[in-house]
């Protein structure tokens, strides 16, 4: 049974470039979360979806960040244009109702 | 205001001994859930244990137990018989407003090092 799949695992890009992070949640999980982890700010919730609908995007840092979930098996987090301060590990996680979150292995982004 | 507070940035424990990692939380919602996750150096987030606010008994999962003191708003993780593989970052997290949302808020974490 595959877990949450994130791609790419590592991304190095230059400032100003567009970055797209992808997530395939576990089948049947109706909640999907995007978190960002940095040394300074810890684990921050960026946005979460329920049944493909964005519920709370108050954690999205600014308009350069956008997230979509076109169907139950796929979500993207896009940063355009990217900046060095966006360097972080981005986690996708899913859950059913009030259960625990199942995390992907994360996408490590480095913006030069 | 901090929802989840983990006051111990780092802890050391001798192999085979027990260790307690502290977590206090802040909520006015009567319905909430508390979680502990482990993050080893490889980076993945591993779910360890869950405690619901209405649960009468403290949660246990193998060597992990949760010392839930509702009146004090604390949910400390106890790891018994520590192993070298327990060396990792440990995060406490809370889900509140369970009827209206489902997001987890995480504490800053505690780094645990198990010494041989």
């Amino acid at each position: 049974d595959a877990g949450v799949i994130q791609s790419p695992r590592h991304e190095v890009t230059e400032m100003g470039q567009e970055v797209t992070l992808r997530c395939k949640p576990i089948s049947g999980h109706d909640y999907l979360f995007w978190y960002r982890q940095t040394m300074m700010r810890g684990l921050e919730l960026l946005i979460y979806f329920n049944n493909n609908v964005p519920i709370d995007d108050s954690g999205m840092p600014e308009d350069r960040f956008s997230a979509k979930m076109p169907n139950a098996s796929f979500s993207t987090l896009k940063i355009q244009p990217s900046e060095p301060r966006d360097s972080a590990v981005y986690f996708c996680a899913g859950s059913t109702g009030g259960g625990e979150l199942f995390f992907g292995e994360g996408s490590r982004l480095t913006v030069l | 205001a901090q929802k989840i507070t983990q006051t111990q940035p780092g802890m050391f424990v001798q192999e085979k001994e027990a260790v307690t990692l502290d977590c206090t939380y802040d909520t006015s919602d009567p319905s909430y859930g508390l979680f502990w996750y482990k993050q080893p150096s490889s980076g993945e987030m591993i779910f360890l244990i869950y405690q619901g606010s209405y649960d009468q008994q403290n949660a246990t999962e193998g060597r992990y137990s949760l010392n839930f003191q509702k009146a004090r708003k604390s949910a400390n993780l106890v790891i018994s018989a520590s192993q070298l593989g327990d060396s990792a970052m440990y995060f406490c997290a809370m889900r509140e407003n369970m009827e209206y949302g489902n997001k987890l808020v995480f504490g800053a974490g505690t780094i645990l090092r198990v010494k041989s």
Side-chain angles (χ1 to χ4, degrees):
Chain A
D1 201 15
V4 177
I5 300 173
Q6 291 188 244
S7 64
R9 292 293 313 281
H10 301 274
E11 173 95 0
V12 180
T13 189
E14 293 188 345
M15 183 174 62
Q17 296 298 306
E18 178 179 294
V19 173
T20 299
L21 307 178
R22 298 172 178 81
C23 175
K24 177 178 168 56
I26 296 171
S27 176
H29 282 186
D30 53 351
Y31 285 87
L32 185 139
F33 304 79
W34 283 100
Y35 282 87
R36 177 172 69 176
Q37 186 177 30
T38 60
M39 289 291 292
M40 291 298 295
R41 300 176 69 89
L43 272 160
E44 303 173 274
L45 176 64
L46 300 178
I47 185 171
Y48 79 95
F49 297 82
N50 178 217
N51 292 322
N52 314 337
V53 176
I55 302 300
D56 185 347
D57 65 355
S58 58
M60 295 287 262
E62 46 197 275
D63 292 346
R64 298 185 297 106
F65 286 70
S66 63
K68 294 182 180 179
M69 192 165 186
N71 57 63
S73 60
F74 185 65
S75 178
T76 59
L77 178 68
K78 187 174 292 187
I79 309 172
Q80 166 64 18
S82 58
E83 297 182 2
R85 60 193 168 121
D86 302 331
S87 297
V89 178
Y90 291 82
F91 285 102
C92 174
S95 73
T96 56
E100 73 267 25
L101 265 59
F102 291 82
F103 282 80
E105 293 185 310
S107 293
R108 181 175 295 276
L109 173 65
T110 302
V111 183
L112 303 174
Chain B
Q2 289 276 10
K3 292 284 189 179
I4 294 285
T5 303
Q6 294 181 253
T7 56
Q8 306 152 314
M11 291 277 288
F12 283 95
V13 64
Q14 194 67 37
E15 193 177 11
K16 299 180 185 177
E17 292 185 352
V19 62
T20 297
L21 305 182
D22 294 342
C23 173
T24 58
Y25 59 92
D26 181 27
T27 182
S28 57
D29 191 343
S31 176
Y32 54 90
L34 297 156
F35 300 78
W36 278 92
Y37 281 82
K38 172 184 178 182
Q39 187 177 41
S41 58
S42 51
E44 71 267 33
M45 293 287 287
I46 302 167
F47 166 73
L48 296 178
I49 197 167
Y50 166 80
Q51 179 85 43
S53 59
Y54 294 121
D55 292 344
Q56 294 297 313
Q57 293 188 317
N58 287 346
T60 60
E61 288 287 348
R63 293 187 299 111
Y64 304 109
S65 61
L66 203 152
N67 184 1
F68 182 46
Q69 298 187 41
K70 197 169 183 177
R72 299 178 64 180
K73 294 188 176 179
S74 74
N76 299 338
L77 176 70
V78 180
I79 305 174
S80 63
S82 297
Q83 302 171 358
L84 295 178
D86 293 333
S87 293
M89 176 77 92
Y90 289 81
F91 291 99
C92 181
M94 177 175 66
R95 171 183 287 131
E96 59 180 347
N97 298 324
M98 293 176 75
E99 292 184 16
Y100 306 104
N102 202 32
K103 60 185 182 183
L104 255 64
V105 176
F106 285 81
T110 296
I111 298 175
L112 176 67
R113 290 288 177 254
V114 180
K115 301 183 290 185
S116 59

